[in-house]
Amino acid sequence: MPGVAAEGQWKDKYRELVRDYETKEREWSALEHALRAAAGKLAFAAMGQSGALDKAVESVLGALRSNLSAANLDASMSGLVRALQLPKTPDPPVAVKPAAPANVAPVPAAAAAQPSNPPTASVDFEPLLRGLVEALARTPALAEVAGKLERKLDAGVTAADCAPYLRSVADSVAAVIADLQSQRRELEEFLERVTSQLAEFEDWSTWQEGEARSRQADTIGLEHTVTAEMRGLHKEVEDSRDLTALKVKVQSRLDTVAQQLLAFRDTEGRRLAESERRAVGLKRELTKLKGRTTELIRLCADQENRLMLDSLTGVHSRYAYEQRLEEEYQRWQRHAQPLTFSIWDVDLFKRINDTCGHDAGDRLLRGIADILGHHKRVEDFLARIGGEEFVLLLPMTALDAAKTVTDKIRAAVERTEFRHHGQHVPVTISCGLTEFRAGDTPTAVYERADQALYQAKLQGRNRCVSA
């Protein structure tokens, strides 16, 4: 029946939406866990520096232990940043004890003046902050603020100098959490509306089934009535000898049949009107549901696009790279077709950043990405995986052929005229590449290509080295 088929389709669509929601829920939970871990590591690293800083740390840890919200995290992280900017206060001196009894050796004055606990060794914040930067960079929404903090660290500043950027990190993390919570609420509300509308559809289907059974029962009853009246009429015609009495009996039975037909027609009319009314309402709800489904599909597509693209260069992101690498790896295992992995690094990029400024460095990265994207083949996959590093996957390509492709790209970068304030800035790029071999894993291939890139740097840069 068409109604049953439509009901099955909508139930399948609903189950698909629920699966999508569960996937998003897992992604949200993973991101929230990573953000909690990053904030917790930073907080623990700051403990023991001063009383004010310890209080700020406790506030952060308390926020992380409780139900995390954007407002709570923003307030606690901002307090931690403010505490990092305060000068360290020395621990209060320990009170000198009264004179010891005569039979106890006196404590030297220098020893008595020492605090009961040894001073806490200063913490090197740079490795901790770089770890935080690395963790944040994996999330596309936080990649920009992570890049700013990384550039600040590259300039050789202290943790206190990084305070404004740490505040930006806290604000960005809070914004991401707020955005995730907003998206979660929107999706939950949408699924609630879908559930309600599908319940109405199911109610309509149940009503239709009931009406069909009722119509069948009415039809059978009418058929039985007509059959019984016709049998009675036939018998009376055979038994009757009085024509006048026969006419009366025949008319009575015909009236009964006519009444049954009128009652059946009235019932069918009411049933048809109710069915039309419900069908109009259902069509209206289905139109609304279709519009909301289209809106949800657009929202999910926008979110997926933001995750798949690097915000600075417009090429694929690390998130997209990890997915594509796994796909190509599985395809390579199934079909045993050649697959080459190449990793690229802009030569002396830090020097360019320090000399020309970070804005110029960002423009350079966009230019490099354009060159790589323009000269790669259609089937190749390009992604920026962090900083000035790019990855180019070359499917269906053996190592020798890939070396030819990468050398052309490297030469194209070398030939390109990069200028800053009218002055020529020489820019080159190095590449390490390797082919997938029997028994390889993506991690092993990456490490081999990275080692080849390291050799390219040692051999003078501006070259492609295969391994």
Side-chain angles (χ1 to χ4, degrees):
M1 294 176 63
V4 176
E7 180 183 1
Q9 292 175 357
W10 278 106
K11 286 184 178 179
D12 291 341
K13 186 68 175 178
Y14 177 65
R15 284 192 287 268
E16 182 180 348
L17 287 171
V18 171
R19 286 195 296 270
D20 290 343
Y21 174 73
E22 290 174 347
T23 301
K24 290 290 184 184
E25 186 76 22
R26 287 193 294 271
E27 293 176 356
W28 289 327
S29 298
L31 178 57
E32 182 177 333
H33 177 75
L35 294 176
R36 283 177 182 266
K41 290 177 181 178
L42 181 61
F44 277 118
M47 294 189 71
Q49 303 300 302
S50 69
L53 189 56
D54 285 349
K55 290 181 180 179
V57 169
E58 287 297 332
S59 176
V60 172
L61 296 177
L64 294 174
R65 296 188 194 104
S66 61
N67 290 329
L68 191 63
S69 69
N72 290 343
L73 181 63
D74 181 45
S76 57
M77 288 296 288
S78 296
L80 177 60
V81 170
R82 287 193 298 272
L84 282 171
Q85 294 175 296
L86 295 175
K88 297 181 181 178
T89 56
D91 293 333
V94 178
V96 179
K97 295 182 179 179
N103 60 343
V104 179
V107 178
Q114 293 178 351
S116 57
N117 294 323
T120 304
S122 61
V123 176
D124 183 3
F125 276 91
E126 183 174 348
L128 298 170
L129 292 177
R130 289 195 181 277
L132 176 62
V133 166
E134 184 180 354
L136 294 175
R138 297 192 187 101
T139 303
L142 300 174
E144 183 176 354
V145 70
K148 290 180 180 178
L149 182 57
E150 183 179 23
R151 291 194 291 268
K152 196 72 176 175
L153 292 173
D154 289 341
V157 297
T158 63
D161 295 329
C162 286
Y165 293 92
L166 290 175
R167 187 180 294 111
S168 298
V169 170
D171 293 341
S172 300
V173 170
V176 169
I177 292 176
D179 185 53
L180 289 175
Q181 291 174 341
S182 174
Q183 291 179 31
R184 180 183 299 179
R185 285 193 298 271
E186 288 180 7
L187 191 54
E188 287 174 347
E189 291 171 0
F190 173 80
L191 289 177
E192 286 177 1
R193 290 195 296 267
V194 170
T195 301
S196 175
Q197 288 164 334
L198 290 178
E200 292 180 9
F201 183 81
E202 185 173 2
D203 178 67
W204 180 84
S205 299
T206 302
W207 177 84
Q208 281 283 61
E209 291 176 2
E211 288 298 296
R213 288 193 293 269
S214 175
R215 183 182 296 108
Q216 183 181 19
D218 290 346
T219 302
I220 293 174
L222 176 62
E223 182 181 352
H224 287 171
T225 299
V226 172
T227 300
E229 292 297 326
M230 293 303 294
R231 287 175 180 171
L233 182 60
H234 181 71
K235 185 175 186 304
E236 287 175 355
V237 168
E238 289 181 347
D239 296 343
S240 177
R241 298 291 183 266
D242 187 348
L243 184 58
T244 301
L246 178 61
K247 288 181 179 180
V248 172
K249 291 179 181 179
V250 168
Q251 187 63 47
S252 175
R253 291 189 179 276
L254 290 176
D255 290 344
T256 300
V257 172
Q259 289 174 359
Q260 284 291 105
L261 288 172
L262 288 174
F264 181 80
R265 187 179 66 182
D266 290 343
T267 301
E268 279 295 291
R270 287 192 300 271
R271 186 181 289 121
L272 179 61
E274 177 65 14
S275 179
E276 290 177 349
R277 185 188 68 80
R278 287 176 176 261
V280 169
L282 180 62
K283 183 178 180 181
R284 185 168 53 248
E285 290 301 318
L286 289 177
T287 302
K288 292 180 182 178
L289 180 60
K290 182 179 179 181
R292 289 166 182 163
T293 303
T294 302
E295 180 183 353
L296 180 63
I297 291 172
R298 181 192 59 77
L299 177 63
C300 291
D302 290 343
Q303 292 291 341
E304 186 70 12
N305 287 336
R306 281 197 290 269
L307 285 173
M308 299 295 283
L309 296 179
D310 176 59
S311 59
L312 176 63
T313 62
V315 301
H316 288 100
S317 65
R318 187 184 188 96
Y319 173 79
Y321 150 75
E322 291 173 351
Q323 287 191 344
R324 182 61 175 268
L325 178 61
E326 181 61 26
E327 292 172 4
E328 294 293 348
Y329 175 66
Q330 296 295 336
R331 189 176 294 113
W332 170 75
Q333 285 188 314
R334 287 195 303 271
H335 304 297
Q337 296 291 341
L339 172 62
T340 297
F341 181 100
S342 64
I343 183 169
W344 301 74
D345 186 90
V346 181
D347 295 327
L348 302 174
F349 182 73
K350 185 177 184 301
R351 180 186 298 176
I352 297 174
N353 255 347
D354 295 342
T355 304
C356 303
H358 295 297
D359 289 340
D362 289 346
R363 289 196 300 273
L364 173 61
L365 289 177
R366 285 192 288 269
I368 293 291
D370 289 342
I371 295 171
L372 292 171
H374 179 72
H375 288 84
K376 75 176 184 66
R377 302 168 308 176
V378 175
E379 64 271 19
D380 298 337
F381 177 84
L382 173 66
R384 179 180 175 228
I385 61 172
E388 66 273 20
E389 286 191 350
F390 296 84
V391 161
L392 184 65
L393 296 177
L394 299 99
M396 306 289 292
T397 308
L399 187 58
D400 290 342
K403 185 70 160 49
T404 302
V405 173
T406 57
D407 274 330
K408 288 181 180 179
I409 295 175
R410 179 204 56 76
V413 173
E414 183 182 15
R415 289 193 306 268
T416 302
E417 186 80 7
F418 292 98
R419 290 189 170 273
H420 178 65
H421 295 319
Q423 299 296 320
H424 171 68
V425 179
V427 175
T428 59
I429 193 168
S430 298
C431 168
L433 64 159
T434 188
E435 187 177 352
F436 277 72
R437 302 166 187 165
D440 268 342
T441 64
T443 300
V445 171
Y446 174 87
E447 291 175 352
R448 197 162 62 240
D450 191 54
Q451 184 61 34
L453 175 63
Y454 178 71
Q455 291 300 320
K457 297 288 187 178
L458 288 180
Q459 294 174 22
R461 304 183 180 90
N462 190 26
R463 64 193 65 234
C464 298
V465 173
S466 57

Short mmCIF file of all heavy atoms in Angstrom, two decimals, residues 21-71:
data_model
loop_
_atom_site.label_atom_id
_atom_site.label_comp_id
_atom_site.label_asym_id
_atom_site.label_seq_id
_atom_site.Cartn_x
_atom_site.Cartn_y
_atom_site.Cartn_z
N TYR A 21 22.71 12.46 14.31
CA TYR A 21 22.77 13.17 15.58
C TYR A 21 23.72 12.48 16.55
O TYR A 21 24.51 13.13 17.25
CB TYR A 21 21.37 13.27 16.19
CG TYR A 21 21.36 13.87 17.58
CD1 TYR A 21 21.58 15.23 17.76
CD2 TYR A 21 21.16 13.07 18.70
CE1 TYR A 21 21.58 15.78 19.01
CE2 TYR A 21 21.16 13.62 19.96
CZ TYR A 21 21.36 14.98 20.12
OH TYR A 21 21.37 15.52 21.37
N GLU A 22 23.67 11.15 16.59
CA GLU A 22 24.56 10.42 17.50
C GLU A 22 26.02 10.62 17.10
O GLU A 22 26.90 10.74 17.95
CB GLU A 22 24.20 8.93 17.49
CG GLU A 22 22.86 8.63 18.15
CD GLU A 22 22.45 7.18 17.99
OE1 GLU A 22 23.08 6.47 17.16
OE2 GLU A 22 21.51 6.74 18.68
N THR A 23 26.29 10.67 15.78
CA THR A 23 27.66 10.93 15.32
C THR A 23 28.12 12.31 15.76
O THR A 23 29.24 12.48 16.26
CB THR A 23 27.73 10.83 13.78
OG1 THR A 23 27.32 9.50 13.39
CG2 THR A 23 29.14 11.08 13.29
N LYS A 24 27.27 13.33 15.56
CA LYS A 24 27.61 14.68 16.00
C LYS A 24 27.82 14.72 17.51
O LYS A 24 28.71 15.41 18.02
CB LYS A 24 26.49 15.66 15.61
CG LYS A 24 26.40 15.91 14.12
CD LYS A 24 27.58 16.73 13.63
CE LYS A 24 27.44 17.07 12.16
NZ LYS A 24 28.63 17.79 11.65
N GLU A 25 27.01 13.97 18.24
CA GLU A 25 27.13 13.94 19.70
C GLU A 25 28.49 13.40 20.10
O GLU A 25 29.15 13.93 21.01
CB GLU A 25 26.02 13.06 20.28
CG GLU A 25 25.95 13.06 21.81
CD GLU A 25 25.33 14.32 22.35
OE1 GLU A 25 24.61 15.01 21.62
OE2 GLU A 25 25.60 14.62 23.52
N ARG A 26 28.95 12.35 19.42
CA ARG A 26 30.28 11.80 19.73
C ARG A 26 31.38 12.81 19.39
O ARG A 26 32.34 12.95 20.15
CB ARG A 26 30.49 10.50 18.97
CG ARG A 26 29.67 9.32 19.50
CD ARG A 26 30.16 8.00 18.91
NE ARG A 26 29.92 7.94 17.48
CZ ARG A 26 28.79 7.47 16.94
NH1 ARG A 26 27.82 7.02 17.71
NH2 ARG A 26 28.65 7.43 15.62
N GLU A 27 31.24 13.52 18.26
CA GLU A 27 32.24 14.52 17.89
C GLU A 27 32.28 15.65 18.91
O GLU A 27 33.34 16.12 19.30
CB GLU A 27 31.94 15.07 16.50
CG GLU A 27 32.12 14.04 15.38
CD GLU A 27 31.72 14.59 14.03
OE1 GLU A 27 31.24 15.75 13.98
OE2 GLU A 27 31.88 13.87 13.03
N TRP A 28 31.09 16.10 19.35
CA TRP A 28 31.05 17.16 20.36
C TRP A 28 31.71 16.70 21.66
O TRP A 28 32.47 17.44 22.28
CB TRP A 28 29.60 17.56 20.62
CG TRP A 28 28.96 18.32 19.51
CD1 TRP A 28 29.55 19.19 18.65
CD2 TRP A 28 27.58 18.25 19.11
NE1 TRP A 28 28.64 19.67 17.75
CE2 TRP A 28 27.43 19.12 18.00
CE3 TRP A 28 26.46 17.57 19.58
CZ2 TRP A 28 26.22 19.32 17.36
CZ3 TRP A 28 25.26 17.77 18.95
CH2 TRP A 28 25.13 18.63 17.85
N SER A 29 31.42 15.48 22.06
CA SER A 29 32.00 14.96 23.31
C SER A 29 33.52 14.87 23.21
O SER A 29 34.24 15.21 24.15
CB SER A 29 31.41 13.58 23.63
OG SER A 29 30.02 13.67 23.83
N ALA A 30 34.03 14.41 22.05
CA ALA A 30 35.48 14.30 21.87
C ALA A 30 36.14 15.67 21.92
O ALA A 30 37.19 15.86 22.54
CB ALA A 30 35.79 13.60 20.55
N LEU A 31 35.52 16.65 21.26
CA LEU A 31 36.10 18.00 21.26
C LEU A 31 36.06 18.60 22.66
O LEU A 31 37.03 19.21 23.12
CB LEU A 31 35.33 18.89 20.28
CG LEU A 31 35.78 20.35 20.21
CD1 LEU A 31 37.27 20.44 19.86
CD2 LEU A 31 34.95 21.12 19.20
N GLU A 32 34.94 18.40 23.36
CA GLU A 32 34.86 18.93 24.72
C GLU A 32 35.90 18.29 25.62
O GLU A 32 36.53 18.95 26.45
CB GLU A 32 33.45 18.69 25.28
CG GLU A 32 33.26 19.26 26.68
CD GLU A 32 31.84 19.07 27.17
OE1 GLU A 32 30.92 18.99 26.32
OE2 GLU A 32 31.65 19.02 28.39
N HIS A 33 36.12 16.98 25.45
CA HIS A 33 37.14 16.29 26.24
C HIS A 33 38.53 16.86 25.96
O HIS A 33 39.32 17.09 26.88
CB HIS A 33 37.11 14.80 25.92
CG HIS A 33 38.18 14.00 26.63
ND1 HIS A 33 38.11 13.70 27.98
CD2 HIS A 33 39.35 13.49 26.19
CE1 HIS A 33 39.20 13.02 28.33
NE2 HIS A 33 39.97 12.89 27.25
N ALA A 34 38.83 17.12 24.67
CA ALA A 34 40.14 17.67 24.31
C ALA A 34 40.32 19.07 24.88
O ALA A 34 41.40 19.42 25.38
CB ALA A 34 40.29 17.71 22.78
N LEU A 35 39.27 19.88 24.85
CA LEU A 35 39.36 21.23 25.39
C LEU A 35 39.54 21.20 26.90
O LEU A 35 40.31 21.98 27.47
CB LEU A 35 38.11 22.02 25.02
CG LEU A 35 37.92 22.29 23.52
CD1 LEU A 35 36.60 22.98 23.26
CD2 LEU A 35 39.06 23.12 22.97
N ARG A 36 38.82 20.31 27.57
CA ARG A 36 39.00 20.18 29.02
C ARG A 36 40.44 19.77 29.35
O ARG A 36 41.06 20.30 30.27
CB ARG A 36 38.03 19.12 29.57
CG ARG A 36 36.59 19.57 29.71
CD ARG A 36 35.74 18.40 30.19
NE ARG A 36 34.35 18.72 30.30
CZ ARG A 36 33.76 19.11 31.42
NH1 ARG A 36 34.47 19.25 32.53
NH2 ARG A 36 32.46 19.38 31.45
N ALA A 37 40.96 18.79 28.58
CA ALA A 37 42.32 18.30 28.85
C ALA A 37 43.34 19.41 28.64
O ALA A 37 44.27 19.58 29.44
CB ALA A 37 42.62 17.11 27.94
N ALA A 38 43.19 20.20 27.56
CA ALA A 38 44.14 21.27 27.29
C ALA A 38 44.11 22.32 28.39
O ALA A 38 45.15 22.77 28.88
CB ALA A 38 43.83 21.91 25.93
N ALA A 39 42.92 22.73 28.80
CA ALA A 39 42.81 23.72 29.87
C ALA A 39 43.35 23.17 31.19
O ALA A 39 44.00 23.88 31.96
CB ALA A 39 41.35 24.16 30.02
N GLY A 40 43.08 21.88 31.45
CA GLY A 40 43.58 21.27 32.68
C GLY A 40 45.09 21.21 32.74
O GLY A 40 45.71 21.51 33.77
N LYS A 41 45.74 20.84 31.62
CA LYS A 41 47.20 20.79 31.59
C LYS A 41 47.81 22.16 31.82
O LYS A 41 48.78 22.32 32.55
CB LYS A 41 47.66 20.22 30.25
CG LYS A 41 47.37 18.74 30.07
CD LYS A 41 47.80 18.26 28.69
CE LYS A 41 47.49 16.78 28.49
NZ LYS A 41 47.87 16.33 27.13
N LEU A 42 47.23 23.17 31.20
CA LEU A 42 47.74 24.53 31.38
C LEU A 42 47.57 24.97 32.82
O LEU A 42 48.46 25.61 33.39
CB LEU A 42 46.98 25.48 30.44
CG LEU A 42 47.42 26.95 30.48
CD1 LEU A 42 48.88 27.07 30.09
CD2 LEU A 42 46.55 27.79 29.56
N ALA A 43 46.44 24.62 33.43
CA ALA A 43 46.20 25.02 34.81
C ALA A 43 47.18 24.33 35.77
O ALA A 43 47.76 24.98 36.65
CB ALA A 43 44.75 24.69 35.20
N PHE A 44 47.37 23.02 35.61
CA PHE A 44 48.30 22.31 36.50
C PHE A 44 49.73 22.82 36.34
O PHE A 44 50.49 22.88 37.31
CB PHE A 44 48.25 20.81 36.21
CG PHE A 44 47.12 20.11 36.90
CD1 PHE A 44 46.13 19.47 36.17
CD2 PHE A 44 47.03 20.09 38.29
CE1 PHE A 44 45.08 18.84 36.79
CE2 PHE A 44 45.97 19.45 38.92
CZ PHE A 44 45.00 18.83 38.18
N ALA A 45 50.09 23.21 35.12
CA ALA A 45 51.45 23.71 34.90
C ALA A 45 51.69 25.02 35.63
O ALA A 45 52.83 25.35 35.98
CB ALA A 45 51.68 23.90 33.41
N ALA A 46 50.64 25.78 35.87
CA ALA A 46 50.79 27.09 36.49
C ALA A 46 50.80 27.03 38.01
O ALA A 46 51.09 28.04 38.66
CB ALA A 46 49.66 28.01 36.01
N MET A 47 50.51 25.90 38.61
CA MET A 47 50.38 25.81 40.07
C MET A 47 51.74 25.99 40.75
O MET A 47 52.79 25.63 40.21
CB MET A 47 49.76 24.48 40.49
CG MET A 47 48.32 24.31 40.04
SD MET A 47 47.52 22.86 40.76
CE MET A 47 47.35 23.40 42.46
N GLY A 48 51.70 26.58 41.92
CA GLY A 48 52.90 26.72 42.74
C GLY A 48 53.68 27.99 42.48
O GLY A 48 54.74 28.20 43.07
N GLN A 49 53.19 28.88 41.63
CA GLN A 49 53.92 30.10 41.32
C GLN A 49 53.63 31.21 42.33
O GLN A 49 54.51 31.95 42.72
CB GLN A 49 53.57 30.58 39.91
CG GLN A 49 53.83 29.53 38.82
CD GLN A 49 55.30 29.11 38.78
OE1 GLN A 49 56.16 29.95 38.58
NE2 GLN A 49 55.56 27.84 38.98
N SER A 50 52.38 31.37 42.70
CA SER A 50 52.00 32.39 43.67
C SER A 50 50.63 32.05 44.22
O SER A 50 49.90 31.24 43.64
CB SER A 50 52.00 33.78 43.03
OG SER A 50 50.94 33.87 42.09
N GLY A 51 50.27 32.72 45.32
CA GLY A 51 48.97 32.47 45.92
C GLY A 51 47.83 32.86 45.00
O GLY A 51 46.84 32.12 44.85
N ALA A 52 47.93 34.04 44.37
CA ALA A 52 46.87 34.49 43.47
C ALA A 52 46.72 33.56 42.27
O ALA A 52 45.62 33.25 41.83
CB ALA A 52 47.16 35.92 42.98
N LEU A 53 47.86 33.08 41.76
CA LEU A 53 47.82 32.19 40.61
C LEU A 53 47.20 30.85 40.99
O LEU A 53 46.42 30.25 40.23
CB LEU A 53 49.23 31.98 40.06
CG LEU A 53 49.34 31.23 38.72
CD1 LEU A 53 48.50 31.91 37.65
CD2 LEU A 53 50.78 31.16 38.28
N ASP A 54 47.53 30.36 42.20
CA ASP A 54 46.94 29.09 42.65
C ASP A 54 45.42 29.19 42.77
O ASP A 54 44.69 28.26 42.45
CB ASP A 54 47.55 28.66 43.98
CG ASP A 54 48.96 28.13 43.80
OD1 ASP A 54 49.35 27.90 42.63
OD2 ASP A 54 49.67 27.95 44.81
N LYS A 55 44.92 30.36 43.26
CA LYS A 55 43.47 30.53 43.36
C LYS A 55 42.82 30.52 41.97
O LYS A 55 41.75 29.94 41.77
CB LYS A 55 43.15 31.85 44.07
CG LYS A 55 43.49 31.85 45.56
CD LYS A 55 43.11 33.17 46.20
CE LYS A 55 43.44 33.17 47.70
NZ LYS A 55 43.11 34.46 48.35
N ALA A 56 43.50 31.18 41.02
CA ALA A 56 42.96 31.18 39.66
C ALA A 56 42.96 29.78 39.08
O ALA A 56 42.04 29.38 38.36
CB ALA A 56 43.79 32.12 38.77
N VAL A 57 44.03 29.02 39.38
CA VAL A 57 44.10 27.64 38.90
C VAL A 57 42.97 26.81 39.48
O VAL A 57 42.32 26.02 38.79
CB VAL A 57 45.47 27.02 39.25
CG1 VAL A 57 45.46 25.52 39.00
CG2 VAL A 57 46.57 27.67 38.42
N GLU A 58 42.73 26.96 40.79
CA GLU A 58 41.64 26.22 41.42
C GLU A 58 40.30 26.56 40.79
O GLU A 58 39.43 25.70 40.64
CB GLU A 58 41.60 26.52 42.92
CG GLU A 58 42.73 25.87 43.70
CD GLU A 58 42.66 24.34 43.64
OE1 GLU A 58 41.55 23.80 43.50
OE2 GLU A 58 43.71 23.70 43.74
N SER A 59 40.13 27.84 40.39
CA SER A 59 38.88 28.23 39.73
C SER A 59 38.72 27.52 38.40
O SER A 59 37.64 27.04 38.05
CB SER A 59 38.87 29.75 39.52
OG SER A 59 37.72 30.14 38.79
N VAL A 60 39.82 27.43 37.63
CA VAL A 60 39.78 26.73 36.35
C VAL A 60 39.46 25.25 36.55
O VAL A 60 38.60 24.67 35.87
CB VAL A 60 41.11 26.88 35.59
CG1 VAL A 60 41.13 26.00 34.35
CG2 VAL A 60 41.32 28.34 35.20
N LEU A 61 40.16 24.63 37.52
CA LEU A 61 39.93 23.20 37.76
C LEU A 61 38.51 22.95 38.25
O LEU A 61 37.89 21.94 37.90
CB LEU A 61 40.95 22.68 38.77
CG LEU A 61 42.42 22.72 38.31
CD1 LEU A 61 43.34 22.26 39.42
CD2 LEU A 61 42.61 21.87 37.07
N GLY A 62 37.99 23.87 39.07
CA GLY A 62 36.61 23.72 39.52
C GLY A 62 35.63 23.80 38.37
O GLY A 62 34.66 23.03 38.31
N ALA A 63 35.88 24.73 37.43
CA ALA A 63 35.01 24.84 36.25
C ALA A 63 35.08 23.58 35.40
O ALA A 63 34.07 23.13 34.84
CB ALA A 63 35.39 26.06 35.42
N LEU A 64 36.27 22.98 35.29
CA LEU A 64 36.42 21.77 34.48
C LEU A 64 35.74 20.57 35.12
O LEU A 64 35.29 19.66 34.44
CB LEU A 64 37.90 21.48 34.25
CG LEU A 64 38.66 22.50 33.39
CD1 LEU A 64 40.14 22.17 33.36
CD2 LEU A 64 38.10 22.55 31.99
N ARG A 65 35.72 20.55 36.48
CA ARG A 65 35.08 19.41 37.17
C ARG A 65 33.56 19.50 37.10
O ARG A 65 32.87 18.49 37.18
CB ARG A 65 35.52 19.36 38.62
CG ARG A 65 37.02 19.10 38.82
CD ARG A 65 37.33 18.87 40.28
NE ARG A 65 38.75 18.96 40.54
CZ ARG A 65 39.36 20.00 41.10
NH1 ARG A 65 38.63 21.04 41.47
NH2 ARG A 65 40.65 20.01 41.29
N SER A 66 33.03 20.73 37.01
CA SER A 66 31.58 20.92 37.01
C SER A 66 31.05 20.79 35.59
O SER A 66 31.78 20.49 34.66
CB SER A 66 31.24 22.29 37.58
OG SER A 66 31.81 23.30 36.78
N ASN A 67 29.74 21.07 35.45
CA ASN A 67 29.15 21.07 34.12
C ASN A 67 29.70 22.26 33.35
O ASN A 67 29.39 23.41 33.68
CB ASN A 67 27.62 21.16 34.21
CG ASN A 67 27.03 19.88 34.76
OD1 ASN A 67 27.58 18.80 34.54
ND2 ASN A 67 25.93 20.00 35.48
N LEU A 68 30.51 22.00 32.35
CA LEU A 68 31.24 23.07 31.66
C LEU A 68 30.27 23.91 30.84
O LEU A 68 29.43 23.40 30.13
CB LEU A 68 32.29 22.47 30.74
CG LEU A 68 33.30 23.44 30.14
CD1 LEU A 68 34.12 24.09 31.23
CD2 LEU A 68 34.20 22.72 29.15
N SER A 69 30.41 25.23 30.97
CA SER A 69 29.65 26.16 30.15
C SER A 69 30.60 27.20 29.62
O SER A 69 31.68 27.44 30.18
CB SER A 69 28.52 26.81 30.95
OG SER A 69 29.05 27.68 31.92
N ALA A 70 30.18 27.89 28.56
CA ALA A 70 31.04 28.90 27.96
C ALA A 70 31.33 30.02 28.96
O ALA A 70 32.45 30.51 29.06
CB ALA A 70 30.38 29.46 26.70
N ALA A 71 30.32 30.44 29.71
CA ALA A 71 30.51 31.55 30.66
C ALA A 71 31.48 31.16 31.77
O ALA A 71 32.38 31.94 32.14
CB ALA A 71 29.16 31.97 31.24
#
